[in-house]
């Protein structure tokens, strides 16, 4: 469902060109559980941002569900992103002034879902993530693990087929990080494609397919049955 053909991403910094991704070819199938590992600066976030349509390649073709998304305009890309993709970040990226419930509700508002259905779906997700008694808390009133659970709820409320997580446990203690990984993994049981960037090998090794990056290139790609 995710197909990269000779994708590169360069950044111009001053008069220097940074090759964040070099000629990457990649095929990910629906429902796969993939980790992306590699040293800092190796292009992991760049790759994830491209998959998530938060960024565009400098060269190459990206097909999502058979559609060449590189040719789409910004608005069409935004629509595809809203319908198909959820994103979870290391620093949660919640809206500080909004409550947990409102943060989770936001994508539904953007999608024009009516208020009754919104309230119902938000309440259901709050409950399934063990956050019902934190619905009216603002992010700063929540622990790191709770914030990440709110972020996962927000990322999944539109029922995306692809969930991208960039170092989702990077700002959490080990035990809380494990809980967050389990939550993400549960989603794969419902058929969601999960791609997790991590530099924690213990987390990375849990994925059924492990991709390793160095210097803007995929240098390792192994699968295990599990
Ligand atoms: P990782 O997530 O593996 O740590 P990144 O994908 O963030 O790596 O970055 C890969 C390379 O691209 C790094 O050298 C980084 O400095 C550079 N880079 C990433 N984003 C930008 C940007 N917006 N502008 C300039 N350089 C960037
Ligand atoms: Mg990164």
């Amino acid at each position: 469902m995710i197909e990269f053909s000779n994708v590169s991403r360069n950044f111009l910094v001053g008069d220097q060109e940074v090759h964040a991704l070099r000629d990457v070819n990649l095929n990910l199938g629906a429902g796969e559980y993939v980790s992306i590992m590699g040293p800092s600066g190796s292009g992991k976030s760049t790759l994830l941002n491209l998959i998530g349509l938060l960024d565009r390649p400098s060269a190459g073709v990206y097909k999502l569900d058979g559609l060449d998304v590189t040719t789409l305009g910004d608005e069409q890309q935004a629509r595809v992103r809203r319908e198909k993709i959820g994103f979870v970040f290391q620093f949660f990226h919640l809206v500080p002034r909004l409550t947990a419930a409102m943060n989770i509700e936001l994508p539904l508002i953007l999608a024009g879902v009516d208020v009754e259905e919104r309230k119902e779906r938000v309440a259901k997700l709050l409950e399934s993530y063990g956050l019902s008694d934190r619905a009216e808390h603002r992010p700063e009133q929540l622990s790191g693990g709770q914030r990440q659970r709110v972020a996962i709820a927000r990322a999944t409320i539109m029922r995306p087929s692809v969930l991208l997580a960039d170092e989702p446990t990077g700002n959490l203690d080990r035990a809380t990080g494990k809980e967050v990984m389990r939550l993400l993994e549960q989603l794969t049981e419902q058929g969601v494609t999960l791609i997790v960037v991590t530099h924690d090998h213990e987390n990375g090794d849990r994925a059924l397919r492990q991709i390793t990056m160095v210097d803007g290139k995929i240098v390792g790609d192994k699968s295990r049955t599990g």
Side-chain angles (χ1 to χ4, degrees):
M1 73 180 310
I2 291 167
E3 249 185 288
F4 271 41
S5 309
N6 303 105
V7 169
S8 299
R9 180 66 170 106
N10 308 319
F11 295 103
L12 203 58
V13 182
D15 56 3
Q16 204 192 342
E17 193 151 70
V18 178
H19 301 279
L21 276 191
R22 301 169 191 261
D23 224 17
V24 167
N25 290 291
L26 178 64
N27 260 296
L28 301 177
E32 281 205 77
Y33 173 18
V34 185
S35 64
I36 301 175
M37 286 182 279
S40 178
S42 57
K44 304 182 298 295
S45 294
T46 301
L47 178 62
L48 212 65
N49 291 342
L50 287 173
I51 294 174
L53 300 174
L54 295 177
D55 188 20
R56 288 175 182 273
S58 310
V61 173
Y62 170 21
K63 285 188 183 169
L64 177 60
D65 292 329
L67 174 71
D68 180 356
V69 286
T70 41
T71 62
L72 298 181
D74 290 347
E75 244 164 71
Q76 288 169 299
Q77 276 204 354
R79 168 135 52 79
V80 173
R81 194 188 319 125
R82 273 203 306 274
E83 285 171 0
K84 299 194 176 179
I85 294 165
F87 234 112
V88 176
F89 302 93
Q90 177 177 359
F91 296 105
F92 322 123
H93 288 219
L94 298 171
V95 181
R97 284 179 307 135
L98 298 184
T99 64
M102 287 158 87
N103 267 283
I104 299 168
E105 187 181 0
L106 218 45
L108 295 174
I109 296 175
L110 294 175
V113 176
D114 73 64
V115 63
E116 260 165 55
E117 187 183 339
R118 291 202 311 255
K119 301 296 174 202
E120 199 176 302
R121 277 167 71 174
V122 169
K124 223 182 241 171
L125 263 196
L126 281 166
E127 198 190 335
S128 72
Y129 287 124
L131 291 163
S132 295
D133 57 350
R134 295 290 182 272
E136 300 309 316
H137 286 54
R138 288 191 310 279
E140 62 173 21
Q141 301 169 320
L142 297 170
S143 70
Q146 288 167 340
R147 283 182 216 191
Q148 198 58 300
R149 275 183 278 154
V150 172
I152 294 170
R154 179 188 55 184
T156 54
I157 192 129
M158 293 297 291
R159 302 173 185 135
S161 48
V162 183
L163 190 68
L164 307 169
D166 196 350
E167 312 253 12
T169 67
N171 209 34
L172 304 174
D173 63 70
R174 189 151 279 272
T176 311
K178 253 193 193 138
E179 262 171 52
V180 162
M181 287 304 295
R182 293 228 173 82
L183 278 181
L184 294 172
E185 285 165 9
Q186 276 170 20
L187 295 163
T188 65
E189 287 158 26
Q190 301 157 30
V192 172
T193 306
L194 175 63
I195 307 172
V196 183
V197 166
T198 179
H199 52 232
D200 180 329
H201 276 271
E202 209 174 295
N203 287 336
D205 288 345
R206 298 172 65 95
L208 299 182
R209 178 171 172 189
Q210 294 146 14
I211 289 173
T212 310
M213 296 190 66
V214 172
D215 198 19
K217 286 188 173 167
I218 292 176
V219 297
D221 187 345
K222 55 178 189 186
S223 298
R224 64 176 174 84
T225 48

